[in-house]
Amino acid sequence: LPHHSFLSPSSLSPPPCLQSPPQVSPCPPRSCTDVICCALFLVFLAGYMVVGILAWLYGDPRQVVYPRNSTGPLGLRGDQASGAALPAVVGCMMPRDPGVRGGTVRPQHWGGALVVAEEWLGAWVARGTQASGQWFSLSSPPSGLLIAMLLSLLFLLLLRLVAGPLVWVLILGVLAVGAYGIYHCWCEYSSLRTAGASIKDVGFTTNLSVYSNVQETWLVALIVLAVVEGILLLLLIFLRKRILIAIALIKEASRAIAYMMSTLFYPLVTFLLLIICVAYWAMTALSNSSAPGCSSISGNETCNPMTFNASQYQPCEVVGCTFYAYNTEGLFQRNLFNLQVYNVVGLLWVANFALALGQCVLAGAFASFYWAREKPRDIPACALISSFLRTLRYHVGSLAFGALILTIVQLIRIILEYLDHKLKGAQNPFTRCLLCCLKCCFWCLEKFIKFLNRNAYIMIAIYGKNFCTSAKNAFKLLMRNIIRVVVLDKVTDLLLLFGKLLVVGGVGVLAFFFFSGRIPINDARFRSPSLNYYWLPILTVVVGAYLIAQGFFSVYSMCVDTLFLCFLEDLERNDGSVEKPYYMPTSLMRLLNKKNQKAEKK
């Protein structure tokens, strides 16, 4: 194979950094990548924590829930409206010089917040205790989610045995649907042509349903479907070998998952990290938006209405701890908008980093499977944990770099959506067209960056290089094999789509028949509950089943992509000789008419 410019002679050997045992091919030392971006990310996280602390100290989320009157108190119940919840100053009426003096107002909302939190916690515990008895019964949504998990796992494991027939059945099914569409369009066209219905009789109308009754509509549909069907048949004929390669990689992905079952549950870690990110962002945004601050008048005194002692303020004729006003001139209050922007950027960057971490960790685990010389003997015992620790130790900066690029594009899209919302009433067609084009372009750019980042993380996990080098090498490698990329991507998408429909549809149908009472069950413990609106638990089960299937199949998709890049690297860097043997499975070598030479016995 030709030597490519981005490959140094020393890199032509198989990637040794993931092999085990090390004596097979010694592992070169790794080093931390993109250190500057790593430091920037850590500093940003420290600032994000400061923003959250300030929001918690100055904010009062109860203001979003409860109204506040003109004198300051919140509209709480008697047991909640404690004096500690009132921001107040000392008001004093002097005997001969009428006037009010006071001090800086500071919200004393801790007591009320603790009361509200205590009630929320108590209600949550009560609801959990009440529902715990039915948690594992067949009449609860978690049972449906468990069924979805088992179906997803079973489907992925069966792909190792039935991936080939299933892919061909799905491809032929798509062709059959197209053929039926051609037949239906021909029947409609023939009947309308006999009846004499033509577009000339209808003319132009905004009622689109009218066009379904003219022969030209079905003729156009017939021609389009026929052209698409012909293209699909030609692609099937000329790309059948690449389809077989895709099937072999899909089978190998099922084999890898069977050896590393723990990878199927890693999406729970990513999901937990995303929940923490969203919860932190929501609490910070809520606290920032409810931080009115407090006003100040002459003096520096604050007071608590519950512990205020009027005798300390003599010779005041009338003295009291009263609400004055909120401050909008403080440093924190003047920068509320900037803090909210920082909060949004923090959410996007941290969430994208969590997703990038999951992709890189899974890629490292699956790459260690591919580059193992003897499977399963040379597969690391704790491949997932080793990949996780290796990624955190060396490649936080690279993941943060890729996440930052994606975050910038997403921020631009958010700004464009905001401008589009503000300019909806504008009657300038050029502005609307320009915004629409920009939104479309940045949507495509975001999709491309996600695709590039995903493959860059795979190369980072394999070779341990920085983000830019990994992204460049991955892009060049994929462009040299663009037809294989397209075929594998579409075959995998079709297969996983069928799997999702099978899992979600099966669980949804089962939940419908159960909760609607159409499955007769005599045992009272497993009997369907009497529900007025049974669509709510059905919808809960369907959404949960989709999320579970998405989590399982995302791991499978990452496995296929990782093994595909490893396969392309293996094909370009090795030649089957004793010095540079292939690492691909025997099924792929047979498809490519390749084999490894055996060492001569002395």
Side-chain angles (χ1 to χ4, degrees):
L1 291 175
H3 172 68
H4 299 283
S5 59
F6 77 95
L7 299 176
S8 61
S10 61
S11 65
L12 288 176
S13 59
C17 47
L18 296 171
Q19 293 184 5
S20 178
Q23 61 268 21
V24 175
S25 185
C27 179
R30 290 199 179 210
S31 59
C32 295
T33 55
D34 297 302
V35 179
I36 297 178
C37 193
C38 178
L40 177 63
F41 184 62
L42 294 178
V43 171
F44 181 87
L45 287 180
Y48 199 21
M49 294 176 63
V50 171
V51 171
I53 293 173
L54 290 176
W56 176 256
L57 291 177
Y58 286 92
D60 186 2
R62 296 178 311 158
Q63 297 186 72
V64 180
V65 181
Y66 300 104
R68 186 183 291 276
N69 60 29
S70 60
T71 61
L74 293 172
L76 305 175
R77 300 197 312 266
D79 59 338
Q80 292 178 329
S82 60
L86 300 178
V89 294
V90 178
C92 174
M93 182 71 69
M94 301 299 292
R96 294 183 180 178
D97 185 16
V100 177
R101 67 178 178 87
T104 306
V105 184
R106 189 168 300 161
Q108 308 287 337
H109 60 266
W110 298 99
L114 290 176
V115 171
V116 175
E118 182 180 359
E119 289 195 357
W120 286 348
L121 181 60
W124 181 79
V125 171
R127 289 194 299 268
T129 304
Q130 182 180 3
S132 61
Q134 299 180 349
W135 183 258
F136 291 105
S137 67
L138 287 178
S139 60
S140 61
S143 300
L145 303 184
L146 181 61
I147 295 174
M149 183 182 300
L150 295 177
L151 285 178
S152 301
L153 181 61
L154 181 63
F155 181 80
L156 294 181
L157 295 179
L158 286 178
L159 284 180
R160 184 175 177 180
L161 302 176
V162 299
L166 184 58
V167 168
W168 288 114
V169 167
L170 291 176
I171 292 175
L172 294 178
V174 172
L175 293 176
V177 170
Y180 174 77
I182 294 174
Y183 170 75
H184 181 74
C185 292
W186 171 255
C187 293
E188 293 290 337
Y189 171 70
S190 299
S191 61
L192 291 174
R193 184 178 60 178
T194 303
S198 175
I199 190 70
K200 298 178 182 178
D201 303 327
V202 176
F204 177 77
T205 178
T206 57
N207 187 5
L208 300 180
S209 61
V210 175
Y211 291 104
S212 62
N213 298 319
V214 296
Q215 55 179 314
E216 286 81 4
T217 301
W218 296 102
L219 178 61
V220 171
L222 174 63
I223 295 174
V224 172
L225 286 177
V227 171
V228 172
E229 187 81 356
I231 293 175
L232 290 178
L233 285 173
L234 291 176
L235 290 176
L236 182 61
I237 294 173
F238 288 104
L239 299 179
R240 62 187 184 279
K241 187 173 182 179
R242 290 180 170 83
I243 294 176
L244 292 175
I245 294 175
I247 293 173
L249 286 170
I250 289 172
K251 289 181 179 179
E252 193 69 6
S254 300
R255 184 183 174 200
I257 290 177
Y259 284 128
M260 295 182 287
M261 295 290 291
S262 58
T263 56
L264 289 174
F265 300 96
Y266 185 83
L268 293 176
V269 178
T270 303
F271 181 74
L272 180 61
L273 293 176
L274 292 177
I275 288 294
I276 295 174
C277 294
V278 174
Y280 185 84
W281 164 80
M283 291 302 297
T284 303
L286 187 63
S287 298
N288 276 334
S289 61
S290 61
C294 307
S295 184
S296 63
I297 52 181
S298 60
N300 294 311
E301 299 183 62
T302 60
C303 61
N304 189 333
M306 299 298 294
T307 61
F308 180 73
N309 186 5
S311 62
Q312 297 178 356
Y313 297 90
Q314 298 298 332
C316 293
E317 290 184 352
V318 180
V319 63
C321 186
T322 59
F323 172 81
Y324 177 63
Y326 289 117
N327 179 24
T328 58
E329 301 299 329
L331 179 62
F332 180 80
Q333 289 73 29
R334 292 198 308 267
N335 291 278
L336 282 178
F337 178 77
N338 298 332
L339 294 177
Q340 293 285 39
V341 172
Y342 195 103
N343 190 27
V344 172
V345 175
L347 170 66
L348 295 177
W349 197 359
V350 175
N352 288 328
F353 176 82
L355 294 173
L357 177 64
Q359 292 175 352
C360 192
V361 168
L362 291 174
F366 293 129
S368 66
F369 165 84
Y370 186 92
W371 298 113
R373 170 60 63 192
E374 297 292 335
K375 301 177 180 65
R377 187 192 68 186
D378 295 339
I379 300 175
C382 301
L384 184 65
I385 298 177
S386 300
S387 178
F388 182 80
L389 297 177
R390 183 171 59 244
T391 303
L392 288 182
R393 181 178 179 182
Y394 295 110
H395 306 307
V396 171
S398 298
L399 302 185
F401 190 15
L404 178 61
I405 296 174
L406 183 59
T407 298
I408 293 173
V409 176
Q410 290 174 341
L411 283 175
I412 296 175
R413 289 194 63 200
I414 291 175
I415 294 173
L416 291 176
E417 290 290 345
Y418 175 78
L419 292 176
D420 186 37
H421 176 73
K422 288 295 183 181
L423 297 176
K424 275 193 178 296
Q427 301 299 322
N428 190 342
F430 174 76
T431 304
R432 293 199 302 270
C433 179
L434 179 62
L435 277 177
C436 183
C437 293
L438 288 175
K439 288 166 60 178
C440 179
C441 291
F442 278 97
W443 180 84
C444 295
L445 180 61
E446 181 181 356
K447 294 297 181 183
F448 173 75
I449 289 178
K450 286 182 178 180
F451 169 79
L452 186 62
N453 283 3
R454 183 184 180 91
N455 292 281
Y457 299 147
I458 296 174
M459 298 297 282
I460 290 172
I462 298 174
Y463 294 105
K465 304 224 174 142
N466 60 47
F467 177 81
C468 293
T469 302
S470 300
K472 179 188 68 175
N473 293 348
F475 182 75
K476 288 184 176 181
L477 182 64
L478 294 174
M479 289 301 103
R480 292 195 299 270
N481 300 272
I482 186 62
I483 297 179
R484 286 174 175 164
V485 173
V486 173
V487 172
L488 179 68
D489 183 62
K490 297 310 173 187
V491 170
T492 305
D493 287 346
L494 181 63
L495 194 61
L496 296 185
L497 176 62
F498 175 76
K500 291 177 185 178
L501 292 177
L502 181 66
V503 173
V504 177
V507 173
V509 170
L510 180 63
F512 170 76
F513 279 98
F514 181 79
F515 286 106
S516 62
R518 303 189 183 188
I519 299 180
I521 299 178
N522 298 325
D523 195 334
R525 294 175 300 174
F526 306 112
R527 189 177 301 164
S528 172
S530 178
L531 300 173
N532 294 325
Y533 303 98
Y534 55 81
W535 286 108
L536 181 59
I538 294 175
L539 182 62
T540 303
V541 170
V542 169
V543 172
Y546 174 80
L547 293 177
I548 290 175
Q550 178 66 25
F552 275 88
F553 292 156
S554 66
V555 175
Y556 189 83
S557 177
M558 195 69 201
C559 182
V560 172
D561 291 345
T562 303
L563 296 183
F564 179 59
L565 272 183
C566 292
F567 163 71
L568 296 180
E569 287 282 310
D570 189 14
L571 196 61
E572 290 196 354
R573 295 173 183 266
N574 302 312
D575 55 10
S577 61
V578 177
E579 295 78 13
K580 294 188 293 183
Y582 291 117
Y583 285 78
M584 67 183 70
T586 308
S587 58
L588 281 173
M589 284 194 283
R590 283 200 301 264
L591 287 173
L592 299 172
N593 296 322
K594 298 181 181 297
K595 63 180 180 178
N596 284 331
Q597 299 177 3
K598 296 182 179 180
E600 297 181 358
K601 295 182 180 180
K602 296 183 180 179

